[in-house]
Amino acid sequence: MRNIIYYLFLFVVLLLLQVLILNNIHLGGLATPFLYIWLLLKLPAETPRGLIITIGFFFGLIIDMFCNTPGMHALASTFIGFMRDPLLFLFVSNEEMKTGTPSIRTMGLGAFSRYLIVFVFLYCFALYLIEAFSFFDFPTLLLKIISSTILTLLLMFGIESLKPSYK
Amino acid sequence: MRNLIQFFVRNSPFFVFLLYGLISLFLLIRFNSYHQSVFFSSANSAIAEVYSVAGNVTSYFGLKQINQDLLERNGYLEKEILVLKEQLRDQRSGDLMNDSITKYDFIVAQVINNSVTQLKNYITLNKGSKEGVKVGMGVADQNGIIGIVSVVSEHYSVVISVLNTKLRISAKVKGSDYFGSLVWDGHSSLYATLEELPRHVEFAKGDTIVTSGYSAAFPEGLPVGVIEGYSKQSNDNFYALKIALSADFNRLNDVRVIINKEQEEQLALEKAAAN
């Protein structure tokens, strides 16, 4: 129960942060941080896959309604919700991590970093590819994907390092 | 039958993914044009409310610069009034104040949300159908044109920004009568391109680009931008001009929605002619 309230709180905070502040960031005309997928990334390992995908879809859809891009974020975050478990268990074994949220503490720095990097990259890749659906400029597309991935990762590592590392 | 059910249960995440994926794709294709839905956009009242609260805070940023712009514009208009008054006195013709001036009216609105980072950018305003905003009206601020209204709800409206790869606006070099269409290439929020301008039109770097008045949304002569450079277009008969936009899209606050009292008549006539 405490968990549900925590995630609801996280949802509201991430939503407001994303639509009111982060969406206005446009470093070098290219990079926008997408912090909101943090929620999907951090859902406990025991969360049913269907639920992760559902949360991904509705979170993306709400972001879309704010951005006037119906379907764009929804599709990208549905995709990343679908990919989350395969990605997570690519870096930790199923026995190692039956429960608990993915973090440096539970996964170790190396595995968590790899999980984070691949997750964020895949998301940015999907999102910008969907955006480019009707408008194709390959070098810019690639630059956007890479710079946004790096910026998002920087933010995420920053947040992760702020948390107290109680044992 | 049991096998089928087992198949679905075993692969259920995939089917959930498929379901949401298809819904998203449907939304993407259905609403990815001028015709947006009021529910799935920031004209939705709950979402506009959030932006409205945030806009109350952010509208204080950049006030100094906006003030400066307004003062300059004010000075320019005052000068224009003086010139016009003089002409009026010279000609003594009562006709000068007719049509072109009284045909247009405007509604002042505040920008409550704005983006410049996407390929298809939209602006949300705090005025809607109740205040008289209608789909297809032009929007400008003190510096230049901003976009065209695309969705209207009761108290809010969404504007397709000039910084939207889907929007084309008819514009011309000030002083000439040849027009091209203004499009945005999706790169910088400071520049747009004026395409399809005939080769023989004379222009120089630094010339002003204004609206042509051919579309029903904007009156003739609203500032659009300044010529920054040019290149030949692929088919050689046209120039593509690089335009430095007059409006600063990174800092929009108060804008005017332009009401063309004869817009409906013009559009109906054009539609009838096309048929």
Short mmCIF file of all heavy atoms in Angstrom, two decimals, chain B residues 196-197 199 232-240:
data_model
loop_
_atom_site.label_atom_id
_atom_site.label_comp_id
_atom_site.label_asym_id
_atom_site.label_seq_id
_atom_site.Cartn_x
_atom_site.Cartn_y
_atom_site.Cartn_z
N GLU B 196 9.40 28.90 -52.99
CA GLU B 196 8.60 29.13 -54.19
C GLU B 196 8.50 30.60 -54.58
O GLU B 196 7.49 31.06 -55.11
CB GLU B 196 7.18 28.56 -54.03
CG GLU B 196 7.18 27.06 -53.87
CD GLU B 196 5.90 26.55 -53.25
OE1 GLU B 196 4.94 27.32 -53.19
OE2 GLU B 196 5.88 25.40 -52.82
N LEU B 197 9.55 31.37 -54.28
CA LEU B 197 9.55 32.77 -54.70
C LEU B 197 10.15 32.82 -56.11
O LEU B 197 11.24 32.31 -56.33
CB LEU B 197 10.40 33.60 -53.74
CG LEU B 197 10.21 35.10 -53.86
CD1 LEU B 197 8.86 35.49 -53.29
CD2 LEU B 197 11.31 35.83 -53.12
N ARG B 199 12.13 33.57 -59.50
CA ARG B 199 13.51 33.99 -59.63
C ARG B 199 13.68 35.48 -59.91
O ARG B 199 14.67 36.10 -59.54
CB ARG B 199 14.18 33.21 -60.76
CG ARG B 199 14.64 31.83 -60.38
CD ARG B 199 15.96 31.85 -59.64
NE ARG B 199 17.07 32.38 -60.42
CZ ARG B 199 17.73 31.67 -61.32
NH1 ARG B 199 17.40 30.43 -61.55
NH2 ARG B 199 18.73 32.21 -61.97
N LYS B 232 19.08 28.64 -54.42
CA LYS B 232 18.18 28.23 -55.49
C LYS B 232 17.47 26.96 -55.07
O LYS B 232 18.05 26.12 -54.39
CB LYS B 232 18.98 27.96 -56.76
CG LYS B 232 19.23 29.20 -57.57
CD LYS B 232 20.05 28.85 -58.79
CE LYS B 232 20.75 30.09 -59.31
NZ LYS B 232 21.81 29.75 -60.28
N GLN B 233 16.22 26.81 -55.52
CA GLN B 233 15.53 25.57 -55.23
C GLN B 233 15.83 24.56 -56.30
O GLN B 233 16.33 24.90 -57.37
CB GLN B 233 14.03 25.82 -55.11
CG GLN B 233 13.61 25.95 -53.66
CD GLN B 233 12.13 26.14 -53.52
OE1 GLN B 233 11.59 27.11 -54.00
NE2 GLN B 233 11.47 25.21 -52.87
N SER B 234 15.52 23.33 -56.03
CA SER B 234 15.96 22.24 -56.91
C SER B 234 15.53 22.43 -58.36
O SER B 234 16.27 22.12 -59.28
CB SER B 234 15.44 20.91 -56.38
OG SER B 234 14.07 21.03 -56.07
N ASN B 235 14.34 22.98 -58.58
CA ASN B 235 13.88 23.10 -59.96
C ASN B 235 14.30 24.40 -60.64
O ASN B 235 13.85 24.70 -61.73
CB ASN B 235 12.37 22.92 -60.05
CG ASN B 235 11.67 23.94 -59.18
OD1 ASN B 235 12.32 24.83 -58.63
ND2 ASN B 235 10.37 23.82 -59.06
N ASP B 236 15.18 25.18 -59.93
CA ASP B 236 15.88 26.29 -60.57
C ASP B 236 15.05 27.53 -60.88
O ASP B 236 15.59 28.57 -61.17
CB ASP B 236 16.55 25.83 -61.85
CG ASP B 236 18.06 25.81 -61.65
OD1 ASP B 236 18.49 26.01 -60.50
OD2 ASP B 236 18.77 25.63 -62.62
N ASN B 237 13.73 27.41 -60.91
CA ASN B 237 12.93 28.58 -61.26
C ASN B 237 12.53 29.40 -60.06
O ASN B 237 11.94 30.46 -60.20
CB ASN B 237 11.67 28.14 -62.01
CG ASN B 237 12.00 27.81 -63.44
OD1 ASN B 237 12.84 28.48 -64.04
ND2 ASN B 237 11.38 26.78 -63.96
N PHE B 238 12.82 28.88 -58.90
CA PHE B 238 12.38 29.56 -57.69
C PHE B 238 13.56 29.76 -56.74
O PHE B 238 14.52 29.01 -56.75
CB PHE B 238 11.31 28.74 -56.97
CG PHE B 238 10.05 28.61 -57.77
CD1 PHE B 238 9.80 27.45 -58.49
CD2 PHE B 238 9.14 29.64 -57.81
CE1 PHE B 238 8.65 27.32 -59.24
CE2 PHE B 238 7.98 29.52 -58.55
CZ PHE B 238 7.74 28.36 -59.26
N TYR B 239 13.43 30.78 -55.92
CA TYR B 239 14.39 30.97 -54.85
C TYR B 239 13.80 30.45 -53.55
O TYR B 239 12.59 30.49 -53.34
CB TYR B 239 14.67 32.46 -54.64
CG TYR B 239 15.73 33.02 -55.55
CD1 TYR B 239 15.51 34.18 -56.27
CD2 TYR B 239 16.99 32.41 -55.61
CE1 TYR B 239 16.48 34.71 -57.09
CE2 TYR B 239 17.96 32.94 -56.44
CZ TYR B 239 17.71 34.09 -57.17
OH TYR B 239 18.68 34.60 -57.97
N ALA B 240 14.67 30.00 -52.65
CA ALA B 240 14.26 29.73 -51.27
C ALA B 240 15.04 30.69 -50.39
O ALA B 240 16.26 30.70 -50.41
CB ALA B 240 14.57 28.29 -50.88
#
